[in-house]
Amino acid sequence: MAMIPSLFGNNNTTIFDPFSFNMFDPSTETSTAISNTRIDWKETPEAHIFKADVPGLKKEEVKVEVEEGKVLRISGERSVEKEDKIDTWHRTERSSGKFTRSFRLPENVKMDQIKATMENGVLCVVVPKEEEKKRDVKNIQICG
């Protein structure tokens, strides 16, 4: 829960911070998981496209994996900033920790041609689709 120093000068007393979005979060402010990583999934005629917001992460801190059962897994970790004992922190709102998101891919994807890029804090994973097979339709004449 977010706390701020009391306005009455007693540093041991704290009051509730009404401007905190985490007012019902029992975890501490300094270390919360990046559990709210937002990911969009759209399908085009050629591919499935996943876009994940991962601001502040380097590409080395993000992992894209595909399991045998056609499950796409996007994960990453943002480390806690190192504390210097002489620094005084007034507020820590940036989240740190690990995140993992998994998506079951449809049957019509080319697993060996998946590509991932990252630019300006947005991870883009493109999963190409196999061409739809044209079904041969044979008309059957009805007798009688």
Side-chain angles (χ1 to χ4, degrees):
M1 193 177 295
M3 304 297 268
I4 58 176
S6 170
L7 301 175
F8 303 110
N10 183 352
N11 289 337
N12 294 333
T13 306
T14 57
I15 60 174
F16 179 69
D17 180 2
F19 301 106
S20 172
F21 289 110
N22 296 329
M23 58 188 193
F24 299 110
D25 184 5
S27 63
T28 63
E29 269 189 331
T30 56
S31 179
T32 57
I34 316 171
S35 60
N36 60 348
T37 299
R38 305 292 185 204
I39 299 180
D40 296 336
W41 176 3
K42 76 174 178 179
E43 181 177 357
T44 67
E46 297 82 28
H48 292 272
I49 301 171
F50 297 84
K51 289 192 177 183
D53 288 340
V54 288
L57 292 182
K58 300 175 189 139
K59 66 180 184 178
E60 296 82 18
E61 297 170 321
V62 178
K63 190 186 297 187
V64 179
E65 302 170 304
V66 180
E67 294 179 5
E68 288 179 33
K70 293 194 177 183
V71 175
L72 175 70
R73 177 175 291 129
I74 299 171
S75 60
E77 181 174 7
R78 179 177 295 130
S79 301
V80 177
E81 191 170 326
K82 294 178 184 173
E83 286 188 34
D84 193 348
K85 296 296 181 194
I86 61 171
D87 293 340
T88 301
W89 289 86
H90 295 281
R91 189 154 189 100
T92 54
E93 294 182 347
R94 295 182 303 142
S95 57
S96 61
K98 297 180 181 182
F99 74 91
T100 300
R101 297 290 303 274
S102 298
F103 304 91
R104 182 165 304 283
L105 298 172
E107 293 296 320
N108 66 337
V109 296
K110 297 179 182 178
M111 300 290 284
D112 58 338
Q113 295 181 16
I114 297 174
K115 296 200 182 327
T117 58
M118 200 157 116
E119 186 175 342
N120 296 327
V122 178
L123 172 70
C124 182
V125 180
V126 178
V127 183
K129 293 167 55 176
E130 294 176 348
E131 291 183 29
E132 288 189 33
K133 298 175 183 166
K134 294 183 180 178
R135 295 169 32 187
D136 291 333
V137 177
K138 181 179 177 184
N139 288 327
I140 309 286
Q141 187 176 14
I142 301 173
C143 301

